[in-house]
Each structure stands twice: as structure tokens, then as C-alpha cells.
Amino acid sequence: MPKHIQVRAFREIRKQLIIHTEEIITTATEEHKKYLGVNKTRVGFVKKSERNHVVIIKKISHDLIHAPIEHAVVFRQLGEKIAADSVKDGLTIEEAVDGIIFLKQAIWKVLKKTDVFTQLTLEEFYWLSQTIATYCDIIASKITFTYHELSIKTEEQLNQVVHMVELSEDAIISLDMKGRITSWNTGAQHIYGYTKREVVEKTLSMLIPENKKNDFPMIIGQLKAGNRVDHYITQRITKDKKIIDVSISFSPIRNSKGKLIGASKIARDITENIKIRNQLAHLASLVASSGDSIWSIDKEGKVVSWNKGAEILYGYVGKEVIGKKPDFLIAPEHVSEFYKLKKKIFAGETIENYDSARIRKNGAHVDVSVSMSPVRNNYGDIEGISIVARDITERKKLEQRKDDFIALASHELKTPVTSLKMFAQVLASRFKKEGDFASAKYMESMDTQINKLTEIVNGLLDVSRVHQGKLMYKKEPFAIDELVHQTIESVQLVTNSHTLEVNGNSKRMVIGDKDRIEQVLTNLINNAVKYSPKANKVVIELKNQNGNVLVSVTDFGMGIPKRDETRIFDRFFQVDTPIVKTYPGLGLGLYISKEIVARHGGKLWVESMEGKGSTFYILLPTQN
Amino acid sequence: MEQKKILVVDDDEIILEAFKLMLSDAGYDVTTITKDGIALQKSLKQKKPNLIILDVLLSGADGRMIARKLRSREQTRSIPIIMVSAHPDAKDSTLAAGANDFLAKPFNIDDLLVLVEKYTY
């Protein structure tokens, strides 16, 4: 309806109310007497009600006269005021609701007696009738809601509630007995997309999607039976045809005689909640069905969750473990490690795939790969730790078989290599004695190649030992400077292309395995020569650094790309450039070297510039 | 000067042959045996060596056991033993079993000859 017509209609009502205020009051009194006077014992009550209704109607008239002519605002303000006034005036819920119902009738009566209707078009009349009905119903349902649902006793609380209803993100709707919508708050508008005007007087079924069409008869049935419905989860359809998940609560509204007159309905959009719940359910089923053992502990370190995988791995069911400290699940030699890790996780760290051992219910040890991460609450605080463990018995068996095979194969390879080497050396020496130096040289070349083969075989054996943690070390003090010089001398003997330059000294003793450190030095110097084919020197430096010895090996070759600087220490890694691919070797040297240095409590790293060369550093702790 | 006698025990005939060639060329009297037990005892009775070169892993026996037995018997207690093995980690256990020295296979002829000379001097 165009605004100017609304304005006209309002002006008419206002005019009529001014003229007929007294008449309304009189009629009200008379009508109300008739309405309530049946029960003689309630005379006192009637009198009080009469007074109150007079007050209410006076207020309405006053408010209508002085309110700005914007109907929605007027009605809302009036509704709030009347609800508040009813409480302030000490009215019971029934009185307040009856007053409103009566008021509606009274207004109609007055209007009928006047010539207002004759002056209005059909459209204006329709709007006016709807507006008055809606207005009264809104007030009635607001009061009902206020009393019934929240037992509000004071004006202050009431104001809060009225405010709450309006500002509520929940849809708060009232219905009559036929399921027609009689009030509609902004929350409802927000959730369903309809304005009050679009829904009032229409049935609730307009909000019910096809797949939930049984909801409507069910609601009407419950309504008629006077039952409450709490947190009924269902679906609704919005103005733009979107299906939303809602949680709905219904309460019956009764008049003073206890007769059902409608229902208040609160609907909450739980589409997001449902989505999150579905995601959680999905995750929960993933955890539940996972073959990995997944369990968690709380802040006190007690087990709080335990999945099927954990039952299978450990042999305990949830109730045997939940609430207990998990020490009995961990192999004794790993308990202190577990507590160290736990501390780290509570500090926010995450541990991934570290090998450990656990104990089954039957006492058997089981090898596991464990990942631990913090469990955080909504505020980001760490509430506990999740522990994922995978049975790696099979993997360990396979690794063992592989390492055993490598050990066996390398031993078997060495036997023919040993005899080849012995014959080559004997023949070289015989050729020399006979003056056949050319043949002696060939035999020596053969011996050199056999040495390379031996190195490869030893490398494989070392890797399998490193992997099994079986690389043996001696613990003897030795002079590192002397070892570096000796190593350089022996490498220089077989290196013609490069000069090995050595600078500085540390004057320190290192405790460890001299042969293994020599192996590292030899590997680094050989690499320096191998990867700098166009250079003619390698520089080795010895330095004393804060009680440690720092040995550096610098080449002037092709350098290492930044992305490979840490990967070169991986097993079987080779710098992946076409130029370098032509260089022999299995890519085991640096892996083994790093392990040897680490076992000595030291550190091995590289600094490199592509095209300029690389420097490898060995930092070793010294005796003092 | 009398030739020094060396007894080499290994289960690989080719290696034994290589030892024989190598040590004979260097002027030693070399006896080789592939079997343990009876063959070894027989050999020891026939010709007491100045040095025994003993492999760690022999088919059917552990060279370290043999070394222990040799050390426990009066007549062989003083014979120096060099143990050889393709397992470089075996060094400590061979020394513990009574070997005088250890050499990892494959080795340089010079390294062997230095050791042999040291114990037959």
C-alpha cells in the first residue's frame, strides 16, 4: 500500500480516536464487565482490570495521537509500551491479553459507528483491518511471550525482553490456532528473508519445505493438544528458496480462561551448526575407523579418548585406559622420552613420525611410529595432546631383512674383491721385477678400481649400519690437527689434478673414532676434488672455535643450489644437475659423514654459492 | 736364513691361493688349509708355524673360537695370530679372542707384509 494511503488511514483512526476516546472507555468498561462478570468471585479483579484497561486505552489513544505517522514504528513502540505498562500496572498475563483482545474489539466497534469506512477505499480498508489485527496480536503475543516464556516480573526486565525479542537473532513468531502467523520479529525476517508484512496472517506452511510438509499438521496437532515442543530439529525454506536447518521450540498461549489461543514459536538457524556437526561426525568416524591408534591425553596427562585402532594395537578397550596415566602403554626405555616430548607438545610443538616402542596388554613389545600434536580449545589454549601411533613391526622386519641382505651382500662381494686385489698386487709386483713396467701400471690401475669398488661396498654396509644404529665407534683421544694432515697427505698421493692446501691449526684433542673421522675428511676432500674439475686446488682450514675444533674444506667448483643444501645429506641423494650426473658414486658419503659427525656430538654443514664453490664445515667437540 | 713358516686358514680356496702367491713371492713358507678342526691340528703337529693368518668367518666355524683354542693350548699359545675379515667391525672381538692383530679385507699387500714381518721377526 502506498505510504500516502497509510498516512490517510492513520489520520482517520487518530481523528476518530480523539472524538471517541470517552466512548471507547465507556464501551470498554461495559464490554469488559460482561466479559468477565460471569464469575462473581472475581469482582475485585474485574474492578482492577477495568481501571487498568482505562489506563491502557488512554495511553493508546495518547500514543496514537502523538506518535509520528509511521505505522511500523508506532505499533512497535506501542507494543513495547503496553507490555511494559501492563507489568507496571500489576496486570496478570491474562488481564493484559484480555485487555488487548478487548481493545481490538472496541476499536472496531468505534470505527464501525463512524463513517471512517465509507471514506476508505477497499484496499485501504483491508490494510487498516489487517493493521489493527496485527497490531493487537503483536502486543498480545509479546505480552504472552514475556510472561509465559521468561516469567518476567519487573518493568526493567520486561524492557530488556522486548528489546531482546526485537534484537534476537532467533526468529520469534506467534501463531494462532490455525497456524497463521500473527507476529514476526527482525530475527525471523533475517532468517527467513520475509518482512512482517509478507507473512502476517499467512500460515506457517509457507516456511515448510516439501520434504518436511508433515511438520505443519504435527505442529497444529501439538498446538491443539496444548503441548510444548522443545528443540525440534527440522528444515525450513527461505524466501529465496534456500533450505536451512533450524531448531524449533513451541509453547502454547492461553487466555485467562485457560483456552488455547495460539502458540509462540522460536526458531534458530542451525545450518552452520549442522554443517560443523556433520564435519565433526565425519572426523569422528575417520578417527573411529582409522587403522592407526589414535588417543589423547588431557592437561593432567590422563587418557581421555581411545579409538578402535588403539584397541587393536594395544589390546586394551577404552574403559581400561581412559582416566589413567598412559605410562603402562609405553616401553620402559621410552617412558622418559615420552614425558620429554609431552612437555614439548604442551609448549606448542608438534612431533611427527618418530620411532618408539609400546607395550600391548599381553606384555608384548610393539614397534611404532608416533606423531604427537597439541589439542587446542576454541580460544587456542592447549587442552591436551593427540597421539597417533602406527604399528611398524612389518616395516621394521622389512628394514631388518634389507639391512641383513646388504650386510650379507657386501660381505659376499668383498670375498672376490679381496682375491682380485691380492692377485692384482702380486702381478703388479711380479711385472715390476721382470721390468715390464707397462703391465705393472695396468695392474696398479686395476688395483685402484678395486679400491673404488671396495669403497662403494663399504658405503652400502655403513648405511645399513647407520640405519640400524649399529655403526660402531671407538672412544679414544686423538690429535685432530695430525689426523687432518695425515688424511690430506694420503689423499694428495692419489690426486694429481688439485693441490690440497692446509691452513691453521687447532692444537686440540678430539675423543672419538679416528678412523671414522678420517673417513669423513677423506669423503669431503674427495668430493671437493670431484666437484671442482676446472679448479686446481682445495683449501682445508683448521680452527679452534670456543673450545671446539672447526675443520673446513673449500672447493672452487660448481657449488650447490640453495634448495639442495640440506638435501645433499640425505641418503642416496646426488645433486641433480645434468653436469653432475656424470660423476660416479651412490650418494652415500655425506649421509654417512653427517651421521658419524653427529655421533661424535658434532655438526656437519655446507655453505655454498652456485658457480663459485662450496665450503663444508665439521665442528667437533674437543677433550677440554 | 731359514724361511719363516706361515699357516693361512680361510674357507675360500682362491683367497688361499692369493695368500700363497703373495707370501711366497715375499719369501715365506706358506701352508694353507680350508678346513678347521682335524686339518688344522694335523697341520700344526706336522709343522709348527711362526705365524697364523686366520679368517673370522669360516664355513662351519668361527675363527675367533679357533683363536681361543690356540691360545688355550700350551704348544700353540705363543704363535702370533693375525685375523682377517670382510667385516671391519670384527676387529675388537678378534683381539679379545686372542689375536695379535687384525686386517680388514680387502687389504693392501704392503699392509699385510708389514704385519707379517712384525710378527715373524
Side-chain angles (χ1 to χ4, degrees):
Chain A
M1 176 182 269
K3 196 171 173 182
H4 73 274
I5 302 175
Q6 293 176 22
V7 171
R8 238 184 88 192
F10 253 99
R11 281 199 185 121
E12 279 306 319
I13 297 171
R14 196 166 64 173
K15 204 166 85 190
Q16 293 307 322
L17 280 169
I18 295 165
I19 299 166
H20 299 283
T21 299
E22 279 308 311
E23 193 187 345
I24 294 172
I25 294 164
T26 320
T27 323
T29 315
E30 291 303 314
E31 283 292 312
H32 207 244
K33 265 180 190 162
K34 276 184 206 162
Y35 188 58
L36 293 170
V38 186
N39 189 341
K40 297 259 192 247
T41 59
R42 295 179 72 182
V43 173
F45 166 77
V46 171
K47 278 182 183 161
K48 191 183 169 197
S49 290
E50 280 171 13
R51 278 202 312 280
N52 288 329
H53 284 127
V54 172
V55 173
I56 290 167
I57 294 161
K58 270 187 178 165
K59 274 186 191 300
I60 292 170
S61 313
H62 179 268
D63 288 333
L64 272 172
I65 292 159
H66 296 285
I69 305 175
E70 297 287 345
H71 85 285
V73 179
V74 174
F75 284 150
R76 188 175 303 153
Q77 285 175 344
L78 277 173
E80 285 166 13
K81 239 186 190 126
I82 291 168
D85 287 343
S86 306
V87 175
K88 197 165 75 183
D89 294 339
L91 264 67
T92 64
I93 172 71
E94 289 81 7
E95 289 171 318
V97 172
D98 283 349
I100 299 299
I101 292 165
F102 158 74
L103 178 67
K104 189 161 71 176
Q105 294 165 345
I107 291 173
W108 277 114
K109 275 188 179 166
V110 171
L111 290 176
K112 271 179 201 161
K113 283 180 190 168
T114 65
D115 57 351
V116 170
F117 295 132
T118 57
Q119 290 174 27
L120 293 173
T121 64
L122 192 63
E123 197 189 11
E124 285 168 335
F125 171 74
Y126 177 73
W127 177 79
L128 182 66
S129 61
Q130 264 212 337
T131 308
I132 292 169
T134 308
Y135 150 61
C136 292
D137 286 343
I138 287 171
I139 295 167
S141 68
K142 246 175 202 167
I143 293 169
T144 309
F145 177 80
T146 305
Y147 279 90
H148 263 316
E149 290 291 319
L150 297 150
S151 313
I152 294 305
K153 293 282 186 283
T154 67
E155 183 185 6
E156 194 186 345
Q157 277 173 312
L158 177 72
N159 282 336
Q160 279 175 6
V161 169
V162 170
H163 218 67
M164 225 169 68
V165 169
E166 266 317 302
L167 296 180
S168 172
E169 285 180 15
D170 293 339
I172 301 175
I173 303 167
S174 61
L175 304 172
D176 65 16
M177 290 304 290
K178 288 180 180 159
R180 284 178 305 208
I181 296 164
T182 51
S183 76
W184 186 258
N185 75 338
T186 45
Q189 181 170 340
H190 181 73
I191 290 174
Y192 296 108
Y194 294 103
T195 62
K196 203 181 287 183
R197 286 280 302 281
E198 289 171 310
V199 293
V200 166
E201 290 293 307
K202 296 197 175 128
T203 64
L204 186 69
S205 56
M206 70 180 286
L207 302 174
I208 301 175
E210 190 55 29
N211 61 327
K212 297 285 177 191
K213 64 180 180 203
N214 290 337
D215 274 10
F216 189 66
M218 183 276 284
I219 287 165
I220 296 294
Q222 294 291 334
L223 216 158
K224 284 184 175 159
N227 293 336
R228 280 179 71 103
V229 175
D230 282 325
H231 307 300
Y232 169 59
I233 308 280
T234 184
Q235 286 181 322
R236 290 292 176 258
I237 186 160
T238 65
K239 189 180 177 183
D240 53 9
K241 305 293 166 214
K242 212 175 91 189
I243 302 288
I244 54 168
D245 296 296
V246 289
S247 162
I248 288 173
S249 297
F250 276 93
S251 290
I253 304 174
R254 293 170 191 275
N255 67 9
S256 59
K257 294 194 286 184
K259 192 186 161 206
L260 286 164
I261 54 165
S264 68
K265 175 196 160 190
I266 302 176
R268 174 164 294 180
D269 183 355
I270 54 165
T271 310
E272 272 307 305
N273 297 25
I274 295 272
K275 214 189 275 175
I276 290 166
R277 212 158 66 169
N278 287 345
Q279 282 169 349
L280 283 177
H282 189 74
L283 285 176
S285 79
L286 274 182
V287 169
S289 63
S290 170
D292 289 341
S293 127
I294 304 173
W295 50 284
S296 58
I297 53 170
D298 61 11
K299 265 184 183 165
E300 288 170 28
K302 288 178 181 162
V303 178
V304 284
S305 70
W306 189 256
N307 80 336
K308 193 85 195 151
E311 282 184 14
I312 295 165
L313 179 67
Y314 294 92
Y316 292 99
V317 294
K319 64 178 178 190
E320 293 175 288
V321 184
I322 287 171
K324 291 182 186 161
K325 293 220 169 194
D327 300 31
F328 63 101
L329 303 168
I330 300 158
E333 66 272 24
H334 290 284
V335 171
S336 67
E337 157 203 278
F338 177 80
Y339 278 93
K340 264 184 218 157
L341 292 175
K342 193 179 113 180
K343 215 170 165 185
K344 281 188 176 180
I345 312 289
F346 273 118
E349 279 185 49
T350 296
I351 309 283
E352 277 178 15
N353 302 322
Y354 86 95
D355 288 1
S356 188
R358 298 286 181 260
I359 300 176
R360 294 185 203 270
K361 194 180 179 182
N362 63 10
H365 275 233
V366 54
D367 290 314
V368 287
S369 167
V370 182
S371 296
M372 293 166 78
S373 30
V375 177
R376 292 176 191 273
N377 64 14
N378 284 346
Y379 307 104
D381 304 323
I382 298 173
E383 289 279 305
I385 296 176
S386 73
I387 298 143
V388 181
R390 177 169 293 178
D391 185 346
I392 53 164
T393 313
E394 278 307 308
R395 194 189 87 194
K396 283 260 172 183
K397 269 188 203 160
L398 272 175
E399 276 174 7
Q400 183 64 45
R401 250 184 277 166
K402 184 197 72 199
D403 289 331
D404 288 350
F405 172 77
I406 291 176
L408 182 72
S410 59
H411 181 260
E412 289 305 309
L413 278 167
K414 275 186 192 175
T415 308
V417 166
T418 303
S419 46
L420 271 175
K421 188 172 169 62
M422 288 165 90
F423 285 124
Q425 291 178 104
V426 171
L427 284 175
S429 124
R430 283 194 177 183
F431 282 133
K432 268 187 205 158
K433 272 185 200 157
E434 288 163 12
D436 185 352
F437 293 104
S439 297
K441 204 171 166 243
Y442 294 140
M443 291 321 288
E444 276 165 3
S445 296
M446 202 166 134
D447 188 43
T448 309
Q449 292 307 311
I450 291 168
N451 286 344
K452 283 187 182 166
L453 182 60
T454 308
E455 259 176 50
I456 292 169
V457 173
N458 280 337
L460 277 174
L461 192 59
D462 280 350
V463 167
S464 81
R465 284 192 191 123
V466 165
H467 207 220
Q468 289 178 296
K470 284 184 189 164
L471 203 57
M472 308 264 275
Y473 296 98
K474 281 177 290 191
K475 268 196 160 183
E476 289 162 0
F478 61 90
I480 182 76
D481 296 5
E482 201 180 301
L483 180 71
V484 169
H485 281 274
Q486 276 171 9
T487 311
I488 290 168
E489 270 171 38
S490 57
V491 178
Q492 186 70 80
L493 274 178
V494 290
T495 308
N496 301 320
S497 54
H498 293 66
T499 307
L500 307 179
E501 206 178 290
V502 58
N503 301 319
N505 56 56
S506 75
K507 293 179 180 160
R508 288 281 178 170
M509 297 295 281
V510 168
I511 295 181
D513 194 321
K514 195 176 165 184
D515 295 338
R516 288 294 185 192
I517 296 298
E518 184 184 351
Q519 186 182 343
V520 175
L521 290 166
T522 307
N523 176 246
L524 293 184
I525 299 168
N526 280 337
N527 279 348
V529 171
K530 184 160 116 182
Y531 291 110
S532 63
K534 288 177 187 158
N536 58 9
K537 69 170 179 182
V538 171
V539 178
I540 296 105
E541 268 191 353
L542 267 161
K543 225 191 264 178
N544 182 350
Q545 198 180 64
N546 308 325
N548 297 316
V549 56
L550 183 71
V551 187
S552 63
V553 179
T554 304
D555 68 57
F556 305 92
M558 54 197 68
I560 300 157
K562 258 278 161 298
R563 66 189 153 89
D564 289 337
E565 276 190 13
T566 52
R567 291 167 65 209
I568 53 166
F569 297 101
D570 291 350
R571 206 153 54 134
F572 305 118
F573 182 81
Q574 282 206 321
V575 178
D576 190 19
T577 65
I579 320 163
V580 188
K581 272 211 168 145
T582 56
Y583 291 85
L586 294 182
L588 297 174
L590 287 175
Y591 170 70
I592 296 164
S593 296
K594 188 165 179 119
E595 184 63 24
I596 291 171
V597 173
R599 287 285 292 270
H600 282 79
K603 210 179 137 192
L604 172 64
W605 74 98
V606 66
E607 285 169 14
S608 183
M609 270 181 81
E610 255 186 292
K612 296 237 165 132
S614 310
T615 301
F616 282 82
Y617 295 92
I618 311 169
L619 188 74
L620 286 171
T622 59
Q623 195 171 14
N624 305 315
Chain B
M1 200 174 78
E2 198 197 329
Q3 268 189 319
K4 301 281 183 189
K5 296 182 282 293
I6 300 172
L7 174 65
V8 188
V9 187
D10 199 305
D11 62 350
D12 190 295
E13 301 223 16
I14 306 288
I15 286 187
L16 284 178
E17 211 178 320
F19 266 113
K20 187 155 194 168
L21 201 62
M22 196 180 251
L23 293 168
S24 307
D25 272 15
Y28 295 96
D29 172 4
V30 186
T31 307
T32 60
I33 48 169
T34 55
K35 305 285 177 209
D36 60 303
I38 300 161
L40 179 63
Q41 281 186 10
K42 207 170 150 191
S43 170
L44 285 169
K45 260 185 200 165
Q46 277 173 1
K47 187 160 67 179
K48 190 181 175 185
N50 300 92
L51 171 70
I52 298 171
I53 296 172
L54 183 58
D55 189 37
V56 172
L57 275 179
L58 299 166
S59 43
D62 186 330
R64 287 164 293 205
M65 291 287 291
I66 296 169
R68 270 193 208 100
K69 272 188 195 158
L70 291 170
R71 283 284 169 266
S72 66
R73 286 177 190 164
E74 185 57 41
Q75 60 271 40
T76 54
R77 185 168 293 160
S78 57
I79 307 171
I81 302 168
I82 298 171
M83 291 199 75
V84 289
S85 175
H87 287 295
D89 294 344
K91 184 175 179 176
D92 291 345
S93 63
T94 56
L95 298 183
N100 299 67
D101 230 312
F102 174 84
L103 204 55
K105 283 178 176 177
F107 44 78
N108 275 316
I109 193 167
D110 296 336
D111 294 337
L112 175 75
L113 292 177
V114 165
L115 280 183
V116 168
E117 205 170 312
K118 177 179 166 189
Y119 292 105
T120 55
Y121 183 69

